[in-house]
Amino acid sequence: MTPRLLRTAVAGALALGALGALGLTHPARATSSDGVHTFRVPDGDPHERSLAPRPSEPFSLIGITWDDPDAALGGTAEVRTRSRESGAWSAWRPLETDVRTPELGSDRDRPGVRGSTQPLWTGPSDGFQVRVSGDRLPAGLRVELVDPEAGSDAVHTAVVEPDDIGPGIAGPAAGPLAAERPVVTSRSAWGADESLVKDPPTYTGDTQAMFVHHTAGTNDYACSASASIVRGVFLYHVQSNGWNDIGYHFLVDKCGTVFEGRAGGIDKPVLGAHAYGFNTATSSVSVLGDYSTAATNAAVRESVAKVAAWKLGLYGIDPTGTVVLTSGADNGKYKLGQKGTFHRISGHRDGYPTACPGQNLYDDLPEIRTLAANAGTSAAPAAEPLEPSAEDAAANANADAGADANADADVNANADAGEDAGQGVLGR
């Protein structure tokens, strides 16, 4: 036996020995479809459960789910992962445990909805180890391994059409504090598999506030990987949590790129799955990364502000103002029916007992509100034009005719270009 094979055999024996010492058996893979592989964590000790180091199918995002969507983990969950590139194991990393199943809508009513941690972006990996501890751990713990690149050649991009949403909800007119619509990377551009979204979007009342989140996990990612991260979060929310769609309305990476989140129209009041107790009449933007440990940058702050200014501006809302919202659930911070006063741009922690969006991003919210206010433009009456002379009128008519011809040519060219590009970017 070669030294390399001997080392491999010893490592395998040690892993199996660790399993035996813990009284566990090697878990069978529960499911493997649509880029998500799952491993069951055997029930047993109500306070501590773990899985020894083991190889796995390729993945780039990991999380833990459990059977009862209303049960809280009530403890800690940590993972180690093995890099596909170097073969090195990471240090132990905690998973955020502040996810809650939405209080209403199709995300709650669907069969197979599960409780979960936040997912963690690991980058290309092929091995993992897990340990979970708490006062009383929920049943049916499962490790979720997400490979956002699996099946990417077969992504379905036919958008699920919304139900009839009524004349009062189908896209508000721009209000007096309208802001320019930001450039947004569309769902088809980041690779949402629309065949996984089974139900049409649900709509609520006018958007009254924006909640700012972070996805937690790592800040050590290249912005060229951001679409993969968004796709991984989408798969985790749909395939692992059992939700109908990704929970957030918008996502922003550390380079300031804005991604379309939940389907249904970025200019419409789509019911999200982002702020347990306050999903109704609110929107959300989540920044990729952990802003408990890292500081934001100007690109992040400006993009979050632009999204919030535009979304709130559709309803004529001052992004520096406040609003009274009513909780739709007992969520650990607010009781069902309890009213609270919120900034129009609030952090997730303002409505729910969580560290999200991280202290650094939370501390930036006052600046983001100011940036959002500056992004809006108050509607002012147009100045009365001077009456043109007959000579000027003739010149203007000739110029307008030429401009119309050029505009028609530009429209045709842009239409051809949009068809070739697959309409991958929304906005201006």
Side-chain angles (χ1 to χ4, degrees):
M1 179 178 292
T2 66
R4 182 176 181 181
L5 290 175
L6 179 60
R7 287 195 300 270
T8 302
V10 170
L14 288 173
L16 290 174
L19 286 171
L22 292 170
L24 305 179
T25 58
H26 197 294
R29 189 174 67 219
T31 59
S32 177
S33 62
D34 296 309
V36 180
H37 310 292
T38 67
F39 286 80
R40 183 178 63 85
V41 180
D43 294 331
D45 189 327
H47 306 297
E48 293 186 2
R49 297 175 202 159
S50 61
L51 289 178
R54 66 197 62 243
S56 70
E57 294 85 349
F59 68 94
S60 294
L61 182 142
I62 187 171
I64 295 175
T65 66
W66 49 89
D67 290 343
D68 184 355
D70 293 318
L73 185 66
T76 61
E78 296 179 300
V79 297
R80 294 175 65 220
T81 57
R82 185 176 69 184
S83 168
R84 288 184 64 192
E85 297 174 356
S86 67
W89 284 85
S90 71
W92 285 102
R93 289 181 283 183
L95 299 176
E96 298 284 344
T97 59
D98 58 9
V99 181
R100 291 294 297 272
T101 302
E103 68 273 19
L104 74 168
S106 61
D107 301 292
R108 182 172 190 84
D109 301 332
R110 288 162 59 88
V113 175
R114 298 174 62 80
S116 73
T117 68
Q118 290 278 18
L120 172 72
W121 180 259
T122 64
S125 305
D126 61 4
F128 70 96
Q129 182 179 3
V130 169
R131 62 188 184 193
V132 187
S133 62
D135 293 336
R136 187 165 187 83
L137 297 176
L141 290 177
R142 206 169 72 183
V143 179
E144 311 279 341
L145 307 177
V146 180
D147 180 7
E149 308 309 320
S152 59
D153 293 337
V155 168
H156 303 270
T157 58
V159 177
V160 176
E161 294 296 330
D163 288 334
D164 181 9
I165 60 177
I169 300 178
L177 295 173
E180 183 178 8
R181 177 171 168 163
V183 174
V184 180
T185 301
S186 68
R187 288 168 62 91
S188 61
W190 59 255
D193 185 346
E194 303 293 0
S195 71
L196 300 178
V197 181
K198 303 302 183 183
D199 297 318
T202 301
Y203 295 90
T204 73
D206 291 357
T207 298
Q208 296 296 308
M210 292 285 297
F211 280 106
V212 178
H213 302 254
H214 69 167
T215 59
T218 182
N219 301 87
D220 186 20
Y221 64 87
C223 290
S224 59
S226 296
S228 292
I229 298 175
V230 174
R231 196 159 56 247
V233 174
F234 165 78
L235 289 172
Y236 186 81
H237 283 180
V238 175
Q239 298 289 81
S240 301
N241 289 14
W243 298 350
N244 186 54
D245 198 351
I246 191 169
Y248 307 117
H249 296 88
F250 301 90
L251 300 98
V252 173
D253 72 8
K254 64 184 180 183
C255 291
T257 303
V258 180
F259 296 86
E260 178 186 12
R262 178 158 286 216
I266 62 173
D267 60 343
K268 296 181 175 62
V270 179
L271 178 67
H274 62 96
Y276 182 60
F278 294 99
N279 285 304
T280 300
T282 66
S283 189
S284 58
V285 54
S286 188
V287 183
L288 305 183
D290 183 351
Y291 291 95
S292 297
T293 59
T296 67
N297 58 39
V300 166
R301 296 190 293 273
E302 289 171 2
S303 288
V304 171
K306 287 178 181 178
V307 168
W310 174 73
K311 186 70 176 181
L312 294 172
L314 293 174
Y315 303 92
I317 292 173
D318 179 357
T320 64
T322 60
V323 62
V324 175
L325 301 175
T326 302
S327 178
D330 292 335
N331 69 7
K333 186 164 186 172
Y334 286 87
K335 298 292 186 182
L336 174 64
Q338 182 179 351
K339 296 182 183 297
T341 300
F342 293 82
H343 290 286
R344 294 289 189 170
I345 303 176
S346 285
H348 186 196
R349 67 171 64 178
D350 291 325
Y352 184 77
T354 175
C356 181
Q359 189 63 49
N360 293 316
L361 180 51
Y362 189 78
D363 289 343
D364 287 333
L365 291 182
E367 179 187 349
I368 288 171
R369 294 182 195 113
T370 300
L371 290 170
N374 292 335
T377 55
S378 298
E384 289 292 329
L386 297 175
E387 194 70 30
S389 66
E391 185 175 291
D392 288 341
N396 289 340
N398 291 334
D400 289 344
D404 289 342
N406 290 335
D408 290 341
D410 288 343
V411 167
N412 292 333
N414 289 337
D416 292 340
E419 184 176 350
D420 292 340
Q423 298 178 338
V425 177
L426 305 175
R428 298 173 60 186

